Amino acid sequence: MIAPPKFANRILETFCREEYLEDIQGDLEEEFAMKAPASTLKARIWYFLEVLKLLRPNLIKHFQPFIHLIHDTTMFRNYLKIGFRNLTKYKSSTLINVLGLTVGIAAFLLIALFVKDEISYDQHHLHAEDVYRLTVKNFDQDGSLSRQWAFASAGHAQRFKSDYPEVTHAVRFFPWAFPDLRIGERVFPGEMVVFADEDVFDTFTFPFIIGNPESAFDEVKSLVLTESSAVRLFGSDWQSKDILGKSIELSRDGMEAPFQVTGVMHDMPEQQHFHFEYLAPIQFVEQLFGKNAMNNVTGNYNWLTYLRLQPGTNPEIIEDRKDEFFDKYVGKTSNGLPAKDGYDFELQPLTSIHLHSNLEGEIESNGSIEQIYIFSIVGILLLLVACINYMNLATSQFSRRMKEIGVRKVVGARKISLIHQFLTESFIINFVAFPLAIILAWLALPYLNDFMDKTLSLDFIQNVDLFAGLIILMLAVTLMAGLYPATFMAKIHLLQALKGESAIRSNKWNFRYWLVTFQYAVTIGLIFTLAVIKGQMQFINNSDPGYQKDQIVHLWMSNKIQNLEVFKYELLQHPDINKATYASRVPTGRLADSWGASFFRNDSAEQVNFRLPFILADEDFLSTFEIPLIAGENFSKNMNMSQDSVGYYLINRTAAEALGFSNPRDIVGKKLSYGNYNDQQLRAGRILGVTEDFHFESLHSEITPMIILKDDWKTRKICLQVDTKDISSVLEHIESTWAQFDMESSPQYRFLDEIFAEQYQAEERLSTMITAFTMMAIFIGCLGLIGMVGFIISTRYKEIGVRKVLGASAGSIAMIIAEQFLILVGIAFVASIPIAYYFMSGWLNDFVYHVNISIWFILLPALVAMTITVFTIGYQTLKASMINPVECLQDE
Amino acid sequence: MKDFQLGEFEEIVLLTVAILNDEAYGVSIKQEIEERLKRSVSVGALQSALRRMESKGFLISNLGEASSVRGGKRKRYFNITDLGKKALAYARDTRNQLWDAIPDFVLKMI
């Protein structure tokens, strides 16, 4: 006869109420016997499912442990007492336990704080669910996405609101010109005043301290401050000064306008993806620019635009209308193609911007959801590893507790009361470890904040959730860590317990070994992850970006400096400033500007069908950045595209190849038209030369074709190649030269290698965090190993004695013990490397240029794990292998 | 008359127990329902309903004989109590009252 599945029966027996078990199980088996002849497999599946469906509240047992814990206070007090005695008696193992849990919990706590902070962005707005950011996608002529902008054009917001009934509110933000603010005699230069549509206070929730949002924008020249800007302008006692209605003069480029303070808001919370300190009505900018200038619906992506939809509206409804929208307002673009093919909208939910959006020109740098996933996984793993540590150490102590358990059983302790006892001990350990973990986390928090650019806090009074969460976490950890040791101890047979340790077989594969394997797997996985990240960082630092990055200072130009030639000449007077070049964009930046181009092949013009972005530069660009010219000639000094109405072009090797010239020499002198100058004409000209490829953008992206134009109408930066021996004198020279040309502002300069490093800041942070986590995992793991090896030695004490008597050497005995662990390392290695490999190759794919995961990356973690194991267990193992057999073989 | 309240499934189970008279135990009840009503019944739902009605006093049960197909486990036979009968009658009465209250022309359309 075919028997029903044992496992299912086990479940049934564990959970079903005893008084019901017999007949229900009988019913099931009877029906199983009827079904089995047709198809055994189907019958077995049926049986299993029926058992699962039987787990109903009125059929299952009451969960006993808690009920007893509450009622049985007498015994509970005894458990506490015995628990404390044991913990104080075995101080070293208590210390190891507490340390392991403390580190694990502290890491988990910090990660939880970080993750909670990251996922709470923009949730505080009342209508957060219905607010979307309007972003614009631009497509190239071949239909591929060229750029997606976080900003929209000036004409979008109002049209969306008037055309689509689903859009109830539309807000643009526009930071205009960074005006100087003047109050009486005091001047605050270059403040970021943001002009916004009046819907702003209905779309976002910005609570006011004084004034009120309904009337704040009634007058065009109104200014709403935040707490911190109010403090800056009026001093920290601004609240006593009655600043409502006070006049503030905005001035920029000779224009002056008196604004009135109409309100003060609370500072925008940290968990928001933009932070502004001044808001003013956008009508002011409209009057300034003229209505027509703010009517465009393509290009000029400078207007951060948000739409509030009717509750529950699917944003796709709006997105789907883009063809209609562009047909209505644009029709065909200047090159004759329908505009609807070149543009698209995407509405991003407000609450997902911080973690999911990484577009062109994000207002602030956002978080990343991958990081959240990685940290969450690592945090949970660390907590698990700490719990496992406790399990191992607690069970390894059992030999000491054997007699106690035996006596308790003889006196009449049931299994359940022993479980309570050991759970109580786990609780005591946790009760000590938690406050320590909180202190540890509190100590580490400032570093984490500093490093991750956050303001996390462990403030229990303001954050009751946090406190409740911690209590729940503490109970969860108590159960997670304590349940296995408790049941393990309670299950020991009475006779074995009284006979003493020798009766317990410990060298078979049991649950504990799997726990240690898991710990190893986590450690090996983390070491592998770390190795790959470090390897990639090394790769970035060592890889040649194709240009000189180490000795470059660049300055943002001011529009006060009219005579670029003289300014450059003056700067070059300093002996340590070797070269200088003007450029619109600088390597490490983005290639964001792109125009149409046509290339003349055998006298017939053809449209260039790939994206060919440009920068403007002068004749010293290549020599300043030490970019080699591989064919043709450099610009000469007197070339100027705007004045000559002729194109002067340098292209990079990739661009030459993309145009079909594998040998760059062949393309030199070919005709090319490029550009979208104010006369809307392509500028015909010739390709003067071809440069070697260099990484203008970061290694995350591929080297794309690019073109360098010789022109100066948009050269925003001057780059200086300097000798860094005496950098302060160079900087002094820069400042004094600047002062001759522009009295009002001071030069803003940066070193290129800093910006270069910032491109990889996210990776650098990840690397440091993973280093810290790996250290913790190794630390906790080592603690666990110490406990584990002690356990093994104590259970195989007699075996070691017998082996010694029979002539085993100390070395071979050490090997027997170490061997077990090395097998575990092997299993863990096989289990964890594929998973870690999968994740890390995904991470590496974010980089177009990345290090290959070589065999060393894979072997290294195993080697490290083995080395750590040998060192950790070495002392105890050697001690055990050198015992005198007489000591361990004599029994009472 | 809240005490007599029966769920739809409970009512079916109770009726089936009454039909099977002295032969009602888990498997037979389940098969009876499945055959008569052409609907599948899970052991969990059935047992849960049986125990619930037992605790309400609509059913009593006693253990019967064991057999080898059952792996040596005894059957639990269920019998309907007077209270159970009252509950059934009450359920039927309330249905009838409601049926009677439906105007004739509404029923014609069905």
Side-chain angles (χ1 to χ4, degrees), chain A residues 616-888:
Chain A
L616 308 176
D618 65 14
E619 68 281 3
D620 295 320
F621 182 79
L622 296 184
S623 59
T624 307
F625 285 101
E626 294 176 8
I627 297 164
L629 193 68
I630 52 173
E633 288 171 6
N634 194 0
F635 299 128
S636 65
K637 193 166 185 170
N638 48 8
M639 293 172 173
N640 184 311
M641 281 175 66
S642 298
Q643 284 166 20
D644 302 354
S645 290
V646 176
Y648 304 111
Y649 304 120
L650 293 177
I651 60 174
N652 66 354
R653 185 196 281 272
T654 307
E657 279 164 10
L659 287 167
F661 291 81
S662 55
N663 185 349
R665 280 199 189 86
D666 299 340
I667 203 172
V668 174
K670 291 270 187 295
K671 271 169 83 181
L672 176 79
S673 295
Y674 191 84
N676 181 15
Y677 273 74
N678 31 17
D679 46 4
Q680 295 288 320
Q681 290 289 309
L682 298 180
R683 223 23 78 96
R686 291 191 186 275
I687 295 170
L688 300 172
V690 182
T691 72
E692 187 53 89
D693 279 339
F694 58 100
H695 285 276
F696 196 98
E697 299 183 319
S698 76
L699 294 171
H700 293 99
S701 46
E702 211 167 350
I703 292 181
T704 56
M706 68 172 287
I707 186 166
I708 306 172
L709 318 181
K710 175 71 170 71
D711 208 342
D712 61 6
W713 57 269
K714 202 188 170 187
T715 45
R716 295 183 218 148
K717 289 168 185 157
I718 183 165
C719 305
L720 312 172
Q721 197 194 89
V722 299
D723 275 336
T724 43
K725 300 191 293 280
D726 185 10
I727 195 68
S728 57
S729 115
V730 171
L731 296 179
E732 259 169 46
H733 176 70
I734 292 173
E735 296 199 4
S736 62
T737 313
W738 182 279
Q740 292 168 27
F741 288 82
D742 182 352
M743 298 291 286
E744 288 174 20
S745 63
S746 51
Q748 294 189 355
Y749 48 81
R750 292 209 61 185
F751 293 89
L752 200 65
D753 48 354
E754 275 173 28
I755 306 176
F756 184 83
E758 273 169 26
Q759 292 180 311
Y760 309 103
Q761 194 186 31
E763 285 78 20
E764 196 67 59
R765 284 178 175 176
L766 189 68
S767 155
T768 311
M769 291 298 273
I770 295 286
T771 310
F773 294 146
T774 310
M775 291 302 183
M776 287 180 186
I778 292 177
F779 174 71
I780 299 172
C782 286
L783 292 180
L785 275 184
I786 294 172
M788 187 73 182
V789 76
F791 167 73
I792 287 178
I793 290 169
S794 69
T795 53
R796 299 179 73 172
Y797 211 48
K798 291 220 166 121
E799 181 194 330
I800 294 170
V802 172
R803 280 175 189 274
K804 287 212 93 173
V805 169
L806 294 177
S809 66
S812 70
I813 286 176
M815 210 42 225
I816 288 169
I817 296 168
E819 187 186 61
Q820 281 180 311
F821 286 98
L822 299 182
I823 293 171
L824 297 186
V825 172
I827 295 172
F829 175 75
V830 171
S832 76
I833 288 289
I835 301 172
Y837 186 93
Y838 173 78
F839 276 109
M840 289 323 287
S841 52
W843 182 78
L844 278 181
N845 281 339
D846 280 352
F847 296 87
V848 175
Y849 301 92
H850 60 76
V851 65
N852 290 316
I853 300 181
S854 69
I855 189 76
W856 285 109
F857 284 117
I858 295 173
L859 288 183
L860 177 82
L863 289 177
V864 172
M866 284 188 193
T867 316
I868 291 172
T869 307
V870 169
F871 276 107
T872 314
I873 68 177
Y875 171 70
Q876 280 167 292
T877 311
L878 281 180
K879 209 171 91 181
S881 64
M882 287 189 284
I883 43 170
N884 184 350
V886 175
E887 281 170 30
C888 53

Side-chain angles (χ1 to χ4, degrees), chain A residues 89-114:
Chain A
K89 193 168 167 195
Y90 304 109
K91 290 192 184 67
S92 63
S93 62
T94 307
L95 186 72
I96 289 176
N97 259 333
V98 170
L99 267 183
L101 276 171
T102 302
V103 171
I105 294 162
F108 182 83
L109 191 62
L110 287 175
I111 291 173
L113 277 178
F114 175 78

